[in-house]
Coordinates of all heavy atoms in Angstrom, one line a residue:
M137 N 0.8 -1.2 0.0 CA 0.0 0.0 0.0 C 0.9 1.2 0.0 O 2.0 1.2 0.6 CB -0.9 0.0 1.2 CG -2.0 -1.0 1.2 SD -3.3 -0.6 2.4 CE -2.8 -1.7 3.7
S138 N 0.4 2.3 -0.6 CA 1.1 3.5 -0.7 C 0.3 4.6 -1.2 O -0.8 4.4 -1.8 CB 2.4 3.4 -1.5 OG 2.1 3.1 -2.8
V139 N 0.8 5.8 -1.1 CA 0.2 7.0 -1.7 C 1.3 7.6 -2.6 O 2.4 7.6 -2.3 CB -0.2 8.0 -0.6 CG1 -0.6 9.3 -1.2 CG2 -1.3 7.4 0.2
I140 N 0.8 8.2 -3.8 CA 1.7 8.8 -4.7 C 1.8 10.3 -4.4 O 0.7 11.0 -4.4 CB 1.3 8.5 -6.2 CG1 1.2 7.0 -6.4 CG2 2.3 9.2 -7.1 CD1 2.5 6.2 -6.2
V141 N 3.0 10.8 -4.1 CA 3.2 12.3 -4.0 C 4.2 12.7 -5.1 O 4.7 11.9 -5.8 CB 3.8 12.6 -2.6 CG1 2.8 12.1 -1.5 CG2 5.1 12.0 -2.3
Q142 N 4.4 14.0 -5.2 CA 5.3 14.5 -6.1 C 6.6 14.8 -5.4 O 6.6 15.4 -4.3 CB 4.8 15.8 -6.7 CG 3.9 15.6 -7.9 CD 3.5 16.9 -8.5 OE1 3.2 17.9 -7.8 NE2 3.6 17.0 -9.8
N143 N 7.7 14.5 -6.1 CA 9.1 14.8 -5.5 C 9.7 15.8 -6.5 O 9.8 15.6 -7.7 CB 9.9 13.5 -5.5 CG 11.3 13.8 -4.9 OD1 11.5 14.3 -3.9 ND2 12.3 13.3 -5.7
C144 N 10.2 16.9 -5.9 CA 10.9 17.9 -6.7 C 12.4 17.4 -6.9 O 13.1 17.3 -5.9 CB 10.9 19.3 -6.1 SG 11.8 20.5 -7.0
R145 N 12.8 17.2 -8.1 CA 14.2 16.7 -8.3 C 15.2 17.8 -8.1 O 16.4 17.6 -8.1 CB 14.3 16.1 -9.7 CG 13.5 14.8 -9.8 CD 13.6 14.2 -11.2 NE 12.9 13.0 -11.3 CZ 12.5 12.4 -12.4 NH1 12.9 13.0 -13.6 NH2 11.9 11.3 -12.4
T146 N 14.7 19.1 -8.1 CA 15.6 20.2 -7.9 C 16.0 20.4 -6.4 O 17.2 20.5 -6.0 CB 15.0 21.5 -8.5 OG1 14.7 21.3 -9.8 CG2 16.0 22.7 -8.3
C147 N 15.0 20.5 -5.5 CA 15.2 20.8 -4.1 C 14.9 19.6 -3.2 O 15.2 19.7 -2.0 CB 14.4 22.1 -3.7 SG 12.7 21.8 -3.5
G148 N 14.2 18.6 -3.7 CA 13.9 17.4 -2.8 C 12.6 17.6 -2.1 O 12.3 16.7 -1.3
G149 N 11.9 18.6 -2.3 CA 10.6 18.8 -1.6 C 9.6 17.8 -2.1 O 9.7 17.3 -3.3
Q150 N 8.7 17.4 -1.2 CA 7.6 16.4 -1.6 C 6.3 17.1 -1.4 O 6.0 17.7 -0.3 CB 7.8 15.2 -0.8 CG 9.1 14.4 -1.1 CD 9.3 13.3 -0.2 OE1 8.5 12.9 0.6 NE2 10.5 12.7 -0.3
W151 N 5.3 16.9 -2.4 CA 4.1 17.6 -2.3 C 2.9 16.8 -2.7 O 3.0 15.9 -3.5 CB 4.2 18.8 -3.3 CG 5.4 19.5 -3.2 CD1 6.5 19.5 -4.0 CD2 5.8 20.4 -2.1 NE1 7.5 20.3 -3.5 CE2 7.1 20.9 -2.4 CE3 5.2 20.8 -1.0 CZ2 7.8 21.7 -1.5 CZ3 5.8 21.7 -0.1 CH2 7.1 22.1 -0.4
F152 N 1.8 17.1 -2.0 CA 0.5 16.5 -2.3 C -0.6 17.5 -2.0 O -0.5 18.1 -0.9 CB 0.3 15.2 -1.4 CG -1.0 14.5 -1.8 CD1 -1.0 13.5 -2.7 CD2 -2.2 14.8 -1.2 CE1 -2.1 12.8 -3.0 CE2 -3.3 14.1 -1.5 CZ -3.3 13.1 -2.4
P153 N -1.5 17.7 -2.8 CA -1.7 17.1 -4.1 C -0.8 17.6 -5.2 O 0.1 18.4 -4.9 CB -3.2 17.5 -4.5 CG -3.4 18.7 -3.8 CD -2.6 18.7 -2.5
T154 N -0.9 17.0 -6.4 CA 0.1 17.4 -7.5 C 0.1 18.9 -7.8 O -0.9 19.5 -7.6 CB -0.3 16.6 -8.7 OG1 -1.6 16.9 -9.1 CG2 -0.1 15.1 -8.5
R155 N 1.2 19.3 -8.2 CA 1.4 20.8 -8.5 C 2.0 20.9 -9.9 O 2.6 19.9 -10.4 CB 2.4 21.4 -7.5 CG 2.2 21.1 -6.1 CD 1.1 21.9 -5.5 NE 0.8 21.4 -4.1 CZ 1.0 22.1 -3.0 NH1 1.6 23.3 -3.1 NH2 0.7 21.7 -1.9
L156 N 1.9 22.0 -10.5 CA 2.6 22.3 -11.8 C 4.0 22.7 -11.6 O 4.8 22.5 -12.5 CB 1.8 23.4 -12.6 CG 0.4 23.1 -13.0 CD1 -0.3 24.3 -13.6 CD2 0.4 21.9 -13.9
M157 N 4.3 23.3 -10.4 CA 5.7 23.6 -10.1 C 5.9 23.5 -8.6 O 5.0 23.5 -7.9 CB 6.0 25.0 -10.6 CG 5.1 26.1 -10.1 SD 5.4 27.7 -11.0 CE 6.7 28.3 -10.1
C158 N 7.1 23.4 -8.2 CA 7.5 23.2 -6.8 C 7.2 24.5 -6.1 O 7.7 25.6 -6.4 CB 8.9 22.8 -6.7 SG 9.5 22.7 -5.0
P159 N 6.4 24.5 -5.0 CA 6.1 25.7 -4.2 C 7.3 26.2 -3.4 O 7.4 27.4 -3.0 CB 5.0 25.4 -3.3 CG 4.9 23.9 -3.3 CD 5.6 23.4 -4.5
R160 N 8.3 25.4 -3.2 CA 9.5 25.8 -2.5 C 10.5 26.5 -3.4 O 11.0 27.6 -3.1 CB 10.2 24.6 -1.8 CG 11.4 25.0 -1.0 CD 12.1 23.8 -0.4 NE 11.3 23.2 0.6 CZ 11.3 21.9 1.0 NH1 12.2 21.1 0.4 NH2 10.6 21.4 1.9
C161 N 10.9 25.9 -4.5 CA 12.0 26.4 -5.3 C 11.5 26.9 -6.7 O 12.3 27.5 -7.4 CB 13.1 25.4 -5.5 SG 12.7 24.1 -6.6
G162 N 10.3 26.6 -7.1 CA 9.7 27.1 -8.4 C 10.1 26.1 -9.5 O 9.8 26.4 -10.7
G163 N 10.8 25.0 -9.2 CA 11.3 24.1 -10.2 C 10.1 23.3 -10.8 O 9.0 23.2 -10.2
A164 N 10.3 22.9 -12.1 CA 9.2 22.1 -12.8 C 9.6 20.7 -13.0 O 8.9 19.9 -13.6 CB 9.0 22.8 -14.1
D165 N 10.8 20.3 -12.5 CA 11.2 18.9 -12.6 C 10.6 18.0 -11.5 O 11.3 17.8 -10.5 CB 12.7 18.8 -12.6 CG 13.2 17.4 -13.0 OD1 12.4 16.6 -13.4 OD2 14.5 17.2 -12.9
L166 N 9.3 17.7 -11.6 CA 8.6 16.9 -10.6 C 8.4 15.5 -11.0 O 8.0 15.3 -12.2 CB 7.3 17.6 -10.3 CG 7.4 19.1 -9.9 CD1 6.0 19.7 -9.8 CD2 8.1 19.2 -8.5
A167 N 8.5 14.6 -10.1 CA 8.4 13.1 -10.4 C 7.5 12.5 -9.4 O 7.6 12.8 -8.2 CB 9.7 12.5 -10.5
P168 N 6.7 11.5 -9.8 CA 5.9 10.8 -8.8 C 6.8 9.9 -7.9 O 7.8 9.4 -8.3 CB 5.0 9.9 -9.6 CG 5.6 9.9 -11.0 CD 6.4 11.1 -11.1
M169 N 6.3 9.8 -6.6 CA 7.1 9.1 -5.6 C 6.1 8.4 -4.7 O 5.1 8.9 -4.3 CB 8.0 10.0 -4.8 CG 8.8 9.4 -3.8 SD 9.8 10.7 -3.0 CE 9.9 10.1 -1.4
S170 N 6.4 7.2 -4.3 CA 5.5 6.4 -3.5 C 5.9 6.6 -2.0 O 7.1 6.5 -1.6 CB 5.7 4.9 -3.8 OG 4.9 4.1 -3.0
V171 N 4.9 6.9 -1.2 CA 5.1 7.0 0.3 C 4.3 5.9 1.0 O 3.0 5.9 0.7 CB 4.7 8.4 0.8 CG1 4.9 8.5 2.3 CG2 5.5 9.5 0.1
E172 N 4.8 5.1 1.8 CA 4.1 4.0 2.4 C 3.6 4.2 3.8 O 2.6 3.5 4.1 CB 5.1 2.7 2.4 CG 5.4 2.3 1.0 CD 6.2 1.1 0.9 OE1 6.4 0.4 2.0 OE2 6.7 0.7 -0.2
R173 N 4.2 5.0 4.6 CA 3.7 5.2 5.9 C 3.9 6.6 6.4 O 4.7 7.4 5.9 CB 4.2 4.2 6.9 CG 5.7 4.1 7.0 CD 6.2 2.9 7.8 NE 5.7 1.7 7.4 CZ 6.2 0.9 6.4 NH1 7.2 1.3 5.7 NH2 5.7 -0.2 6.0
G174 N 3.2 6.9 7.5 CA 3.4 8.2 8.2 C 3.0 8.2 9.6 O 2.5 7.1 10.1
V175 N 3.2 9.2 10.4 CA 2.9 9.3 11.8 C 1.7 10.2 12.0 O 1.7 11.3 11.5 CB 4.1 9.9 12.6 CG1 3.8 10.0 14.1 CG2 5.3 9.0 12.4
V176 N 0.7 9.7 12.7 CA -0.5 10.5 13.0 C -0.1 11.6 13.9 O 0.4 11.4 15.0 CB -1.6 9.6 13.6 CG1 -2.8 10.4 14.0 CG2 -2.0 8.5 12.7
E177 N -0.5 12.8 13.5 CA -0.2 14.0 14.4 C -1.4 14.4 15.1 O -1.4 14.7 16.3 CB 0.4 15.1 13.5 CG 1.8 14.9 13.1 CD 2.4 16.1 12.6 OE1 1.8 17.1 12.3 OE2 3.7 16.1 12.5
Q178 N -2.5 14.6 14.5 CA -3.8 15.1 15.1 C -5.0 14.3 14.5 O -4.9 13.9 13.4 CB -4.0 16.6 14.8 CG -2.9 17.5 15.5 CD -3.2 18.9 15.2 OE1 -3.8 19.3 14.2 NE2 -2.7 19.8 16.0
L179 N -6.0 14.2 15.4 CA -7.2 13.5 15.0 C -8.4 14.5 15.1 O -8.5 15.3 16.0 CB -7.5 12.3 15.9 CG -6.4 11.2 15.9 CD1 -6.8 10.2 17.0 CD2 -6.3 10.5 14.6
T180 N -9.4 14.3 14.2 CA -10.6 15.0 14.3 C -11.7 14.0 14.1 O -11.7 13.2 13.1 CB -10.8 16.1 13.2 OG1 -9.7 17.0 13.4 CG2 -12.1 16.8 13.3
H181 N -12.7 13.9 15.1 CA -13.8 12.9 15.0 C -15.0 13.6 14.5 O -15.4 14.7 15.0 CB -14.0 12.4 16.4 CG -12.9 11.6 16.9 ND1 -12.8 10.2 16.7 CD2 -11.8 12.0 17.7 CE1 -11.7 9.8 17.3 NE2 -11.1 10.8 17.9
L182 N -15.6 13.1 13.4 CA -16.8 13.6 12.8 C -17.8 12.5 12.8 O -18.0 11.8 11.8 CB -16.6 14.1 11.4 CG -15.5 15.1 11.2 CD1 -15.1 15.3 9.7 CD2 -15.9 16.4 11.8
G183 N -18.4 12.2 14.0 CA -19.3 11.1 14.1 C -18.5 9.8 14.1 O -17.5 9.7 14.9
D184 N -18.8 8.9 13.2 CA -18.0 7.7 13.1 C -16.7 7.8 12.2 O -16.0 6.9 12.1 CB -18.9 6.5 12.5 CG -19.9 6.1 13.5 OD1 -19.8 6.3 14.7 OD2 -21.0 5.5 13.0
V185 N -16.6 9.0 11.6 CA -15.4 9.2 10.7 C -14.3 9.9 11.4 O -14.6 10.8 12.2 CB -15.9 10.1 9.5 CG1 -14.7 10.4 8.6 CG2 -17.0 9.4 8.7
V186 N -13.1 9.4 11.2 CA -11.9 10.0 11.9 C -11.0 10.5 10.8 O -10.6 9.8 9.9 CB -11.2 9.0 12.8 CG1 -10.0 9.6 13.4 CG2 -12.1 8.4 13.8
I187 N -10.7 11.8 10.8 CA -9.8 12.5 9.9 C -8.5 12.8 10.7 O -8.6 13.2 11.8 CB -10.4 13.8 9.3 CG1 -11.8 13.5 8.7 CG2 -9.5 14.5 8.4 CD1 -11.7 12.6 7.5
A188 N -7.4 12.6 10.0 CA -6.1 12.9 10.7 C -5.1 13.6 9.8 O -5.2 13.5 8.6 CB -5.5 11.6 11.2
S189 N -4.3 14.4 10.5 CA -3.1 14.9 9.8 C -2.0 13.8 10.0 O -1.8 13.4 11.1 CB -2.7 16.2 10.3 OG -2.4 16.2 11.6
V190 N -1.4 13.4 8.9 CA -0.4 12.3 8.9 C 0.9 12.9 8.3 O 1.0 13.3 7.2 CB -0.8 11.1 8.1 CG1 0.2 10.0 8.2 CG2 -2.2 10.6 8.6
A191 N 2.0 12.9 9.1 CA 3.3 13.4 8.7 C 4.1 12.3 8.1 O 4.3 11.3 8.7 CB 4.0 14.0 9.9
C192 N 4.6 12.5 6.9 CA 5.5 11.6 6.2 C 6.9 12.1 6.5 O 7.1 13.2 6.8 CB 5.2 11.6 4.7 SG 3.4 11.1 4.4
D193 N 7.8 11.2 6.3 CA 9.2 11.5 6.5 C 10.0 11.7 5.2 O 10.1 10.7 4.5 CB 9.9 10.4 7.3 CG 11.3 10.7 7.8 OD1 11.7 11.9 7.8 OD2 12.0 9.7 8.1
P194 N 10.5 12.8 4.9 CA 10.5 14.1 5.7 C 9.2 14.9 5.5 O 8.9 15.8 6.3 CB 11.7 14.8 5.2 CG 11.8 14.4 3.7 CD 11.3 13.0 3.7
E195 N 8.5 14.8 4.4 CA 7.3 15.5 4.1 C 6.5 14.7 3.1 O 7.0 13.7 2.6 CB 7.6 16.9 3.6 CG 8.7 17.1 2.7 CD 9.1 18.5 2.3 OE1 8.7 19.5 3.0 OE2 9.8 18.7 1.4
P196 N 5.4 15.0 2.7 CA 4.5 16.1 3.1 C 3.6 15.7 4.3 O 3.7 14.6 4.8 CB 3.6 16.3 1.9 CG 3.5 14.9 1.3 CD 4.8 14.2 1.6
L197 N 2.8 16.7 4.7 CA 1.8 16.4 5.7 C 0.5 16.2 5.0 O 0.0 17.0 4.2 CB 1.6 17.7 6.6 CG 0.6 17.6 7.7 CD1 1.1 16.5 8.8 CD2 0.4 18.9 8.4
L198 N -0.1 15.0 5.2 CA -1.3 14.6 4.4 C -2.5 14.6 5.3 O -2.4 14.4 6.6 CB -1.2 13.2 3.9 CG 0.0 12.9 3.0 CD1 0.1 11.4 2.7 CD2 -0.1 13.6 1.7
V199 N -3.7 14.9 4.8 CA -4.9 14.8 5.5 C -5.6 13.5 5.0 O -5.7 13.3 3.8 CB -5.9 16.0 5.2 CG1 -7.2 15.8 5.9 CG2 -5.2 17.3 5.7
A200 N -5.9 12.6 5.9 CA -6.4 11.3 5.6 C -7.6 10.9 6.4 O -7.7 11.3 7.6 CB -5.2 10.3 5.8
R201 N -8.4 9.9 5.9 CA -9.4 9.3 6.6 C -8.8 8.0 7.2 O -8.3 7.2 6.5 CB -10.6 9.0 5.7 CG -11.7 8.3 6.5 CD -12.9 8.1 5.6 NE -14.0 7.5 6.4 CZ -15.2 7.3 6.0 NH1 -15.5 7.7 4.8 NH2 -16.1 6.7 6.8
L202 N -9.0 7.9 8.5 CA -8.4 6.7 9.2 C -9.4 5.6 9.3 O -10.6 5.8 9.4 CB -8.0 7.1 10.6 CG -6.8 8.1 10.8 CD1 -6.5 8.4 12.2 CD2 -5.6 7.6 10.0
H203 N -8.9 4.4 9.2 CA -9.6 3.2 9.3 C -8.9 2.4 10.4 O -7.7 2.2 10.4 CB -9.7 2.4 8.0 CG -10.4 3.1 6.9 ND1 -11.7 2.9 6.7 CD2 -9.9 3.9 6.0 CE1 -12.1 3.7 5.7 NE2 -11.0 4.3 5.2
G204 N -9.6 1.9 11.4 CA -9.0 1.2 12.6 C -8.8 2.2 13.7 O -9.0 3.4 13.6
T205 N -8.4 1.6 14.8 CA -8.1 2.4 16.0 C -6.7 2.9 16.0 O -5.7 2.2 16.0 CB -8.3 1.5 17.3 OG1 -9.6 0.9 17.3 CG2 -8.1 2.3 18.6
V206 N -6.6 4.2 16.0 CA -5.3 4.9 15.9 C -5.3 6.1 16.9 O -6.3 6.7 17.1 CB -5.1 5.4 14.5 CG1 -3.8 6.1 14.3 CG2 -5.2 4.3 13.5
E207 N -4.1 6.4 17.4 CA -3.9 7.5 18.3 C -2.8 8.4 17.8 O -1.9 7.9 17.0 CB -3.5 7.0 19.7 CG -4.6 6.2 20.4 CD -5.8 7.0 20.7 OE1 -5.7 8.2 21.0 OE2 -6.9 6.4 20.7
P208 N -2.7 9.6 18.2 CA -1.6 10.5 17.8 C -0.3 9.8 18.2 O -0.1 9.2 19.2 CB -1.8 11.8 18.6 CG -3.3 11.8 18.7 CD -3.7 10.4 19.0
G209 N 0.7 9.9 17.3 CA 2.0 9.2 17.5 C 2.1 7.9 16.9 O 3.2 7.3 16.7
D210 N 1.0 7.2 16.5 CA 1.0 5.9 15.9 C 1.5 6.0 14.4 O 1.2 7.0 13.7 CB -0.4 5.3 15.9 CG -0.8 4.8 17.2 OD1 0.0 4.9 18.2 OD2 -2.0 4.4 17.4
V211 N 2.2 5.0 14.0 CA 2.6 4.9 12.6 C 1.5 4.2 11.8 O 1.1 3.1 12.3 CB 4.0 4.2 12.4 CG1 4.3 4.0 11.0 CG2 5.1 5.0 13.1
V212 N 1.1 4.7 10.7 CA 0.0 4.1 9.9 C 0.5 3.8 8.5 O 1.3 4.6 8.0 CB -1.3 4.9 9.9 CG1 -1.9 4.9 11.3 CG2 -1.1 6.3 9.4
E213 N 0.0 2.8 7.9 CA 0.2 2.6 6.5 C -0.7 3.5 5.7 O -1.8 3.8 6.1 CB -0.2 1.1 6.1 CG 0.8 0.1 6.6 CD 0.4 -1.3 6.1 OE1 0.5 -1.5 4.9 OE2 -0.1 -2.1 6.9
L214 N -0.2 4.0 4.6 CA -1.0 4.9 3.7 C -1.5 4.1 2.5 O -0.8 3.3 2.0 CB -0.1 6.1 3.2 CG 0.5 7.0 4.3 CD1 1.5 7.9 3.7 CD2 -0.6 7.7 5.0
T215 N -2.7 4.5 2.1 CA -3.3 3.8 0.9 C -4.1 4.8 0.1 O -4.7 5.7 0.7 CB -4.1 2.6 1.3 OG1 -4.6 2.0 0.1 CG2 -5.2 3.0 2.2
D216 N -4.1 4.7 -1.2 CA -5.0 5.5 -2.0 C -6.2 4.7 -2.5 O -6.9 5.1 -3.4 CB -4.2 6.1 -3.2 CG -3.6 5.0 -4.1 OD1 -3.8 3.8 -3.9 OD2 -3.0 5.4 -5.1
R217 N -6.5 3.6 -1.8 CA -7.7 2.8 -2.1 C -8.4 2.5 -0.7 O -7.7 2.2 0.3 CB -7.3 1.5 -2.7 CG -6.7 1.7 -4.1 CD -6.5 0.3 -4.8 NE -6.0 0.6 -6.1 CZ -4.7 0.5 -6.4 NH1 -3.8 0.3 -5.5 NH2 -4.3 0.8 -7.7
P218 N -9.7 2.7 -0.7 CA -10.4 2.4 0.6 C -10.0 1.0 1.1 O -9.9 0.0 0.3 CB -11.8 2.5 0.2 CG -11.9 3.3 -1.0 CD -10.6 3.0 -1.7
D219 N -9.8 0.9 2.4 CA -9.4 -0.4 3.0 C -10.4 -1.0 3.9 O -11.0 -0.2 4.7 CB -8.1 -0.2 3.8 CG -7.4 -1.5 4.2 OD1 -7.9 -2.0 5.3 OD2 -6.6 -2.0 3.5
T220 N -10.8 -2.2 3.7 CA -11.8 -2.8 4.6 C -11.2 -4.0 5.4 O -11.9 -4.8 5.9 CB -12.9 -3.4 3.7 OG1 -12.4 -4.3 2.7 CG2 -13.7 -2.2 3.0
S221 N -9.9 -4.1 5.5 CA -9.2 -5.2 6.2 C -9.4 -5.1 7.7 O -9.2 -6.1 8.4 CB -7.7 -5.2 5.8 OG -7.1 -4.1 6.4
G222 N -9.7 -4.0 8.2 CA -9.8 -3.8 9.7 C -8.6 -3.4 10.3 O -8.6 -2.9 11.5
R223 N -7.4 -3.5 9.7 CA -6.2 -3.0 10.3 C -6.1 -1.5 10.1 O -6.6 -0.9 9.2 CB -5.0 -3.7 9.7 CG -4.6 -3.4 8.3 CD -3.4 -4.1 7.9 NE -3.0 -3.6 6.6 CZ -3.3 -4.2 5.5 NH1 -4.0 -5.3 5.5 NH2 -2.8 -3.7 4.3
P224 N -5.3 -0.8 11.0 CA -5.2 0.7 10.9 C -4.5 1.1 9.7 O -3.4 0.7 9.4 CB -4.4 1.0 12.2 CG -4.5 -0.1 13.1 CD -4.6 -1.3 12.2
V225 N -5.2 1.9 8.9 CA -4.6 2.5 7.7 C -5.1 4.0 7.5 O -6.1 4.3 8.1 CB -4.9 1.7 6.4 CG1 -4.3 0.4 6.4 CG2 -6.4 1.7 6.1
A226 N -4.4 4.8 6.7 CA -4.8 6.1 6.4 C -5.1 6.2 4.9 O -4.3 5.9 4.1 CB -3.8 7.1 6.8
F227 N -6.4 6.5 4.6 CA -6.8 6.6 3.2 C -6.7 8.0 2.7 O -7.2 8.9 3.3 CB -8.3 6.1 3.1 CG -8.9 6.4 1.8 CD1 -8.4 5.8 0.6 CD2 -10.0 7.2 1.7 CE1 -9.0 6.1 -0.6 CE2 -10.6 7.4 0.5 CZ -10.1 6.9 -0.7
V228 N -5.9 8.1 1.6 CA -5.7 9.4 1.0 C -6.1 9.3 -0.5 O -5.5 8.5 -1.2 CB -4.2 9.9 1.0 CG1 -4.1 11.2 0.4 CG2 -3.7 9.9 2.5
P229 N -7.2 9.9 -0.9 CA -7.7 9.7 -2.3 C -6.6 10.2 -3.2 O -5.8 11.1 -3.0 CB -8.9 10.7 -2.4 CG -9.3 10.9 -1.0 CD -8.1 10.8 -0.1
P230 N -6.4 9.5 -4.4 CA -5.4 9.9 -5.4 C -5.6 11.3 -5.9 O -6.7 11.8 -5.9 CB -5.6 8.9 -6.5 CG -6.7 8.0 -6.1 CD -7.3 8.4 -4.8
S231 N -4.5 11.9 -6.2 CA -4.5 13.3 -6.7 C -4.5 13.5 -8.2 O -4.4 14.6 -8.7 CB -3.3 14.1 -6.1 OG -2.1 13.7 -6.7
G232 N -4.6 12.4 -8.9 CA -4.7 12.5 -10.4 C -3.6 11.9 -11.2 O -3.7 11.7 -12.3
L233 N -2.5 11.6 -10.5 CA -1.4 10.9 -11.2 C -1.6 9.4 -11.4 O -1.9 8.7 -10.4 CB 0.0 11.1 -10.4 CG 0.7 12.4 -10.5 CD1 1.9 12.3 -9.6 CD2 1.1 12.7 -11.9
P234 N -1.6 8.9 -12.6 CA -1.7 7.5 -12.8 C -0.6 6.7 -12.1 O 0.5 7.2 -12.2 CB -1.7 7.3 -14.3 CG -1.8 8.7 -14.9 CD -1.4 9.7 -13.8
R235 N -0.9 5.6 -11.5 CA 0.1 4.8 -10.9 C 1.2 4.3 -11.8 O 2.4 4.2 -11.5 CB -0.5 3.6 -10.2 CG -1.4 4.0 -9.1 CD -1.9 2.8 -8.3 NE -0.9 2.2 -7.5 CZ -0.4 2.6 -6.3 NH1 -0.9 3.7 -5.8 NH2 0.5 1.9 -5.7
K236 N 0.9 4.2 -13.1 CA 1.9 3.7 -14.1 C 3.0 4.7 -14.3 O 4.1 4.4 -14.8 CB 1.2 3.3 -15.4 CG 0.7 4.5 -16.2 CD 0.0 4.1 -17.5 CE -0.6 5.3 -18.1 NZ -1.3 5.0 -19.3
E237 N 2.8 6.0 -13.9 CA 3.8 7.0 -14.1 C 5.0 6.8 -13.1 O 6.0 7.5 -13.1 CB 3.3 8.4 -14.0 CG 2.4 8.8 -15.2 CD 2.0 10.2 -15.1 OE1 2.6 11.0 -14.4 OE2 1.0 10.5 -15.7
L238 N 4.8 6.0 -12.0 CA 5.8 5.8 -11.0 C 7.1 5.2 -11.6 O 7.0 4.3 -12.4 CB 5.3 4.8 -10.0 CG 5.2 5.3 -8.5 CD1 4.8 4.2 -7.7 CD2 6.5 5.9 -8.1
S239 N 8.2 5.9 -11.4 CA 9.4 5.3 -12.0 C 10.2 4.5 -11.0 O 10.0 4.5 -9.9 CB 10.3 6.5 -12.5 OG 10.1 7.7 -11.9

């Protein structure tokens, strides 16, 4: 499981959702990159739905819908497909990059 983010080949910044240019350095040499896990920073409960900010190493900070019991500080797997396995995961809808573009 993973989420596809953009990696700036000029400055190393990582961004989600996709951008036309890097917001840090203005570079246009962006490539898709797979991120598999992150650390839950904050939780928001909306009835039965739990939304979290999930920090990836070193970046970006993603907003995700959590599945399973998770607390701040927990490491979660990231997925761009809804998960029904029951294990803790963070669902981040895809931002438009086809998975086949991953190098």
Side-chain angles (χ1 to χ4, degrees):
M137 285 196 262
S138 65
V139 170
I140 304 302
V141 300
Q142 277 183 314
N143 179 55
C144 177
R145 292 181 179 164
T146 304
C147 74
Q150 295 173 6
W151 313 105
F152 185 91
T154 58
R155 315 282 172 109
L156 295 175
M157 56 191 277
C158 176
R160 179 183 295 153
C161 72
D165 189 8
L166 303 171
M169 180 177 146
S170 178
V171 178
E172 296 185 8
R173 59 188 51 85
V175 177
V176 175
E177 288 196 341
Q178 295 180 335
L179 300 173
T180 299
H181 296 269
L182 304 168
D184 291 338
V185 176
V186 180
I187 305 295
S189 56
V190 179
C192 301
D193 185 21
E195 38 189 15
L197 182 66
L198 303 173
V199 175
R201 180 175 180 171
L202 294 181
H203 296 270
T205 304
V206 180
E207 297 295 327
D210 289 351
V211 175
V212 292
E213 289 183 69
L214 299 170
T215 180
D216 59 2
R217 295 185 177 96
D219 190 275
T220 57
S221 67
R223 69 176 188 263
V225 296
F227 169 61
V228 181
S231 71
L233 280 178
R235 294 186 71 80
K236 67 181 178 185
E237 288 187 22
L238 237 182
S239 27

